[in-house]
């Protein structure tokens, strides 16, 4: 025969498919302790529920605060970028104005130089024409005299 002890009768009784029914005896003094434990468990469950609600509220509050700070920072950066953009645009327009004035002055100077050279050329041409007219007049006079 085997040396192993045989299982108790209560271990052999089965309820459902997987559970076994173990017979126990409960004393009257155990019932009061069970009631106290069950009320303590109910209190703990209520406390846990309240704490979970508080944690959820705190999480929502932190998320809202984070989103608000993030939005403020984004607005600040957006305004700063717009200010920088308008500053650069103003500088660009100033430089364009300076370039336009510079090219306008160069054009005026070039036109003045061309005008002066043209007047000089016309004067020289007139002087040549006068000399040629005078020389032709003198030759005509000389020819008439002879």
């Amino acid at each position: 025969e085997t040396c192993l002890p045989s299982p108790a009768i209560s271990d052999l009784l089965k309820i459902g498919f997987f559970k076994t029914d173990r017979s126990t005896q409960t004393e009257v003094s155990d019932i009061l302790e069970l009631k106290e434990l069950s009320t303590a468990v109910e209190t703990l469950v209520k406390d846990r529920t309240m704490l979970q609600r508080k944690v959820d509220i705190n999480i929502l509050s932190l998320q809202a605060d984070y989103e608000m700070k993030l939005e403020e920072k984004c607005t600040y950066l957006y305004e700063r970028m717009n200010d920088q953009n308008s500053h650069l645009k103003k500088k660009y327009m100033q430089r364009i104005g300076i370039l336009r004035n510079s090219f306008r002055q160069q054009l005026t100077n070039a036109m003045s130089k061309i005008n002066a050279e043209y007047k000089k050329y016309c004067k020289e041409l007139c002087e040549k024409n006068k000399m040629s007219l005078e020389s032709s007049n003198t030759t005509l006079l000389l020819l008439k005299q002879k």
Side-chain angles (χ1 to χ4, degrees), residues 31-41:
I31 292 177
L32 291 175
E33 288 180 17
L34 287 175
K35 284 185 179 182
E36 289 175 3
L37 285 175
S38 64
T39 56
V41 167

Side-chain angles (χ1 to χ4, degrees), residues 72-88:
E72 287 175 2
K73 190 72 170 177
C74 289
T75 304
Y76 170 74
L77 289 175
Y78 178 76
E79 290 173 354
R80 191 168 167 210
M81 285 175 56
N82 279 343
D83 290 343
Q84 186 69 18
N85 191 17
S86 63
H87 175 72
L88 290 175

